[in-house]
Amino acid sequence: EIRLSLVGSEMCIRDRYILVGPERIFEADGVATEILKRVDGRRTLDDIVADLAANFAAEISVIRPDVEGFLSDLEEKQLVVL
């Protein structure tokens, strides 16, 4: 199982995450913040998707592609390690 971790610095301002990576700053919207709250170095992608699905009464099959895409994009920007 691969654990997800943030790279660089993170801040939470007014309940929103701001990630500071190599030559980049990313301000998370509400959905992104909910995902990033769960990226703690202990949880896997499956854990994060299951938790989001349970908390927001959503189908795993519906939200998983969005979560994967979002985290893959952050990995390309060197803000998350998958």
Side-chain angles (χ1 to χ4, degrees):
E1 293 181 12
I2 298 172
R3 308 280 176 203
L4 303 172
S5 300
L6 295 173
V7 175
S9 302
E10 66 178 282
M11 296 177 271
C12 189
I13 300 172
R14 296 184 184 172
D15 297 324
R16 293 181 75 173
Y17 272 72
I18 296 177
L19 301 178
V20 180
E23 301 179 20
R24 292 179 175 88
I25 295 177
F26 171 79
E27 182 179 353
D29 63 14
V31 173
T33 294
E34 289 301 323
I35 296 169
L36 291 171
K37 283 182 192 177
R38 291 156 174 84
V39 177
D40 58 10
R42 295 185 307 267
R43 298 182 209 202
T44 64
L45 177 62
D46 289 339
D47 296 335
I48 292 168
V49 170
D51 191 48
L52 289 166
N55 280 291
F56 295 100
E59 293 292 324
I60 288 174
S61 61
V62 172
I63 66 169
R64 185 181 182 95
D66 293 334
V67 174
E68 283 180 332
F70 171 72
L71 292 172
S72 292
D73 185 51
L74 290 184
E75 181 182 36
E76 288 175 15
K77 295 175 180 166
Q78 301 177 354
L79 294 170
V80 171
V81 174
L82 302 180

